[in-house]
């Protein structure tokens, strides 16, 4: 049995893994809240709405025998973090949280937590995974999670809406964005908007005033009627619904297929080769590195159980997430991922949040038209690229771009010293240490080759 490091903060229970299965122990002190959740009908309604992860109660024997109950929630394949989400995903998670709060109030309960870390995506839809986020509602009590919602949802969303879609402040402030800082980034004319003024400007001032109170000053506990709390929650829903990402017309990658593509012949030939390999491999989970606006992720989704579209450009990820939602595709998850600056282990003792490859290893990594950007653009030797790809997946579809390719030439313009380590022979020698080449497909329309490889450590 192994305890999940990120669950130690909750005194109501603990998450642990046994035989590869995730369980949650519920402690005695949470009994009355859990019974209200079940007996009030709230749990059943949220399950029917697909807002809360379903679970089954199991025996307490052999693990946490002192627990009141042990539950086994529906298992998720991938755990993602809000720093990896695009604007649309964070917005959808915020709306889910607020709608759950409304439903909970109608059943005599309230959300005690309003954290995006409690939300995951299942079949492309956000879902609450923390069954213990609810507690009984006491008339007159304020919403204890209101500050958390503003710092972890509203503030970063507003900044990405009015300033820049790339400014996901949760990357700098994973425990919550200081409201006074967020307000400074909002133009003056936007600050007077009622929802922003009330929930960020005034809220931030109140936080600062409370922080300046003398230590011996007894804090005042405001009384908030249930009706007022319902109205405020509905106001927050309307405010979040109206937020749209701040869009830039041209980015580094969101116009790739219009401006940087070698030729339509090249694209069609590559699609033909990749589709044939996907039909042969039939992967479970696919990591598509440098997915751009999702052309090959969409192709992979026809043959894979799940596709994780990994892209560092926020606008590309946003556009693809919007397309996935519009098309109703359930097995694609766009995530923001910069291979040069991936999310590292973080939190208490650097164990609460894990790297992508610690959370999941895919059946297949697709690295199409990205190798030269890493090896030439970022000066990373092939050996190191091969080693990282090995952590990410068991099989690999990788596109080798010859040094005399037009795009490679542009990258090499001021880096002639790299010429002695970026040849095809150098590439094969480096990758064959970790991978076995099982297929090689030269693209006639370009100086490029697709390789199919399998990990040697999986043989």
């Amino acid at each position: 049995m192994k305890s999940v490091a990120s669950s130690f903060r909750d005194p109501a229970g603990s998450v642990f893994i046994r035989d590869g299965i995730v369980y949650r122990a519920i402690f005695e002190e949470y009994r009355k809240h859990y019974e209200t959740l079940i007996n009030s009908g709230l749990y059943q309604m949220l399950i029917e709405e697909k807002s809360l992860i379903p679970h089954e109660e199991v025996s307490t024997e052999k693990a946490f025998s002192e627990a009141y109950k042990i539950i086994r929630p529906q298992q998720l394949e991938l755990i993602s973090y809000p720093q990896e989400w695009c604007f649309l995903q964070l917005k959808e998670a915020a709306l889910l949280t607020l709608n759950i709060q409304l439903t909970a109030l109608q059943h005599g309960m309230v959300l005690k937590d309003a954290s995006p870390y409690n939300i995951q995506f299942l079949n492309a839809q956000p879902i609450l995974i923390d069954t213990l986020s609810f507690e009984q509602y006491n008339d007159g009590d304020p919403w204890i999670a209101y500050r958390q919602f503003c710092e972890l949802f509203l503030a970063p969303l507003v900044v990405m809406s009015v300033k820049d879609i790339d400014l996901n402040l949760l990357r700098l402030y994973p425990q919550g964005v200081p409201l006074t800082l967020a307000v400074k980034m909002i133009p003056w004319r936007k600050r007077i908007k009622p929802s922003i003024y009330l929930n960020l400007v005034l809220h931030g001032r109140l936080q600062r005033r409370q922080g300046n109170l003398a230590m011996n000053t007894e804090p005042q506990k405001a009384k908030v009627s249930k009706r007022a709390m319902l109205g405020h929650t509905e106001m927050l829903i309307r405010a979040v619904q109206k937020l749209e990402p701040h869009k830039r017309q041209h980015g580094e990658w969101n116009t790739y297929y219009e401006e940087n593509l070698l030729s339509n012949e090249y694209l069609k030939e590559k699609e033909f080769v990749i589709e044939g390999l996907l039909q042969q491999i039939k992967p479970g989970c696919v990591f598509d590195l440098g997915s751009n606006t999702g052309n090959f992720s969409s192709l992979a989704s026809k043959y894979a159980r799940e596709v994780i579209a990994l892209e560092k450009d926020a606008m590309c990820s946003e556009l693809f997430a919007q397309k996935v939602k519009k098309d109703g595709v359930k097995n694609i998850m766009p995530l923001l991922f910069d291979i040069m600056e991936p999310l590292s282990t973080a939190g208490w003792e650097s164990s609460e949040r894990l790297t992508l490859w610690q959370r999941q290893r895919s059946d297949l990594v697709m690295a199409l038209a990205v190798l030269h950007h890493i090896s030439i653009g970022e000066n990373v030797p092939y050996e190191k690229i091969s080693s990282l790809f090995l952590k990410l997946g068991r099989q690999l579809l990788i596109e080798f771009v010859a040094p005399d390719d037009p795009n490679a030439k542009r990258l090499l313009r001021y880096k002639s010293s790299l010429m002695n380590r970026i040849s095809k022979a150098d590439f094969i020698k480096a990758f064959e240490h970790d991978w076995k080449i099982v297929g090689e497909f030269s693209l006639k329309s370009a100086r490029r080759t697709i390789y199919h490889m399998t990990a040697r450590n999986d043989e």
Side-chain angles (χ1 to χ4, degrees):
M1 183 180 73
K2 177 184 178 183
S3 294
V4 174
S6 59
S7 73
F8 73 92
R9 297 175 185 268
D10 189 359
S14 179
V15 180
F16 65 94
I17 299 173
R18 185 176 63 194
D19 298 328
I21 304 296
V22 176
Y23 298 88
R24 185 186 292 271
I26 303 175
F27 299 150
E28 184 65 34
E29 63 188 83
Y30 191 74
R31 176 195 286 263
K32 67 176 183 178
H33 302 293
Y34 179 78
E35 291 178 349
T36 301
L37 172 66
I38 301 300
N39 297 332
S40 67
L42 175 58
Y43 172 79
Q44 188 58 39
M45 177 170 284
L46 293 177
I47 296 302
E48 291 173 357
E49 294 175 350
K50 297 183 179 179
S51 298
L52 175 66
I53 200 80
H55 70 259
E56 61 176 332
E57 296 180 4
V58 298
S59 172
T60 60
E61 296 178 5
K62 298 182 181 179
F64 284 103
S65 57
E66 73 279 10
Y68 157 61
K69 282 190 184 294
I70 301 288
I71 61 175
R72 179 170 57 209
Q74 179 178 343
Q75 304 295 291
L76 299 176
E77 187 163 3
L78 174 72
I79 296 296
S80 61
Y81 302 134
Q83 296 91 333
E84 300 169 317
W85 299 345
C86 66
F87 179 92
L88 175 63
Q89 291 163 326
L90 187 61
K91 177 179 176 178
E92 289 186 332
L95 290 173
L96 174 72
T97 301
L98 291 172
N99 281 306
I100 289 176
Q101 166 71 351
L102 275 183
T103 305
L105 283 168
Q106 293 162 1
H107 288 76
M109 301 201 80
V110 66
L111 275 178
K112 66 176 181 179
D113 301 302
S115 168
Y117 296 100
N118 290 341
I119 307 293
Q120 289 301 315
F121 285 81
L122 179 64
N123 297 324
Q125 297 298 320
I127 191 166
L128 178 67
I129 64 168
D130 188 0
T131 310
L132 311 190
S133 280
F134 303 91
E135 65 182 15
Q136 293 176 346
Y137 170 67
N138 296 314
D139 190 37
D141 284 355
W143 185 23
I144 191 174
Y146 170 57
R147 173 175 178 172
Q148 193 177 42
F149 178 84
C150 291
E151 292 180 342
L152 285 166
F153 279 118
L154 188 60
L157 280 171
V158 169
V159 170
M160 284 191 283
S161 177
V162 303
K163 197 70 176 179
D164 197 309
I165 192 173
D166 289 297
L167 283 175
N168 185 340
L169 293 178
L170 293 177
R171 296 171 197 161
L172 293 175
Y173 299 95
Q175 299 303 320
V177 178
L179 299 187
T180 51
L181 173 65
V183 168
K184 290 178 182 178
M185 304 182 75
I186 301 171
W188 281 99
R189 66 183 184 278
K190 300 285 187 180
R191 296 183 197 178
I192 61 175
K193 191 173 181 179
S195 59
I196 294 177
Y197 189 74
L198 174 63
N199 298 293
L200 297 183
V201 179
L202 287 182
H203 192 177
R205 289 177 185 172
L206 179 62
Q207 284 183 16
R208 185 169 54 192
R209 187 179 301 120
Q210 290 177 336
N212 292 334
L213 290 175
M215 291 295 292
N216 59 355
T217 302
E218 185 69 24
Q220 299 266 333
K221 186 175 181 180
K223 290 288 185 180
V224 181
S225 70
K226 183 176 182 179
R227 181 178 179 181
M229 192 181 296
L230 285 167
H232 187 208
T233 305
E234 290 170 346
M235 181 269 286
L236 284 170
I237 290 174
R238 292 191 296 271
V240 173
Q241 285 174 333
K242 292 177 182 178
L243 293 175
E244 296 295 336
H246 187 275
K247 295 183 178 179
R248 42 182 163 80
Q249 295 300 316
H250 295 281
E252 184 179 3
W253 296 110
N254 58 292
T255 56
Y256 172 81
Y257 285 100
E258 293 82 4
E259 298 177 2
N260 300 309
L261 188 66
L262 292 177
S263 68
N264 287 327
E265 292 75 19
Y266 156 71
L267 178 60
K268 290 178 181 178
E269 187 181 8
K270 186 162 77 169
E271 287 176 341
F272 178 80
V273 171
I274 297 301
E275 184 163 19
L277 288 167
L278 288 167
Q279 289 175 328
Q280 171 190 330
I281 298 168
K282 294 182 176 61
C285 175
V286 174
F287 283 168
D288 183 13
L289 290 174
S291 58
N292 198 262
T293 50
N295 186 67
F296 285 93
S297 292
S298 297
L299 185 61
S301 70
K302 298 177 182 178
Y303 305 97
R305 182 182 67 255
E306 181 180 27
V307 177
I308 315 300
L310 302 169
E311 172 56 50
K312 74 173 184 177
D313 187 279
M315 183 58 73
C316 283
S317 190
E318 177 72 18
L319 292 173
F320 188 40
Q322 291 176 5
K323 183 179 186 301
V324 167
K325 181 178 178 64
K326 180 181 177 181
D327 295 344
V329 181
K330 300 297 184 183
N331 66 334
I332 297 179
M333 179 65 178
L335 286 183
L336 288 167
F337 179 82
D338 185 348
I339 200 166
M340 298 305 300
E341 293 289 343
L343 284 184
S344 59
T345 54
W348 186 258
E349 293 185 334
S350 293
S351 63
E352 288 187 83
R353 293 184 294 281
L354 305 176
T355 63
L356 176 64
W357 51 88
Q358 288 173 319
R359 284 172 271 156
Q360 182 166 347
R361 190 177 182 217
S362 71
D363 299 300
L364 174 67
V365 176
M366 297 199 307
L368 307 176
V370 297
L371 180 66
H372 56 301
H373 292 289
I374 305 171
S375 62
I376 302 175
E378 302 292 350
N379 292 22
V380 181
Y382 286 143
E383 290 82 3
K384 288 191 173 293
I385 302 173
S386 173
S387 178
L388 178 57
F389 286 180
L390 189 64
K391 295 177 182 178
L392 291 173
R394 299 172 180 84
Q395 296 191 61
L396 175 65
L397 296 183
I398 187 167
E399 181 175 2
F400 176 79
V401 177
D404 58 354
D405 176 275
N407 288 344
K409 282 183 177 180
R410 281 193 288 270
L411 292 171
L412 281 166
R413 190 176 305 166
Y414 303 109
K415 296 186 175 184
S416 57
S417 60
L418 296 179
M419 286 297 295
N420 63 353
R421 74 178 197 193
I422 59 170
S423 69
K424 180 178 285 191
D426 295 322
F427 163 75
I428 292 174
K429 180 181 179 181
F431 273 74
E432 280 193 323
H433 179 269
D434 299 314
W435 303 87
K436 178 181 178 182
I437 298 175
V438 295
E440 180 178 349
F441 307 86
S442 297
L443 302 180
K444 298 178 182 178
S445 55
R447 296 275 296 159
R448 301 187 174 194
T449 306
I450 304 293
Y451 287 91
H452 176 203
M453 304 182 184
T454 58
R456 292 191 181 277
N457 61 7
D458 286 335
E459 291 180 347

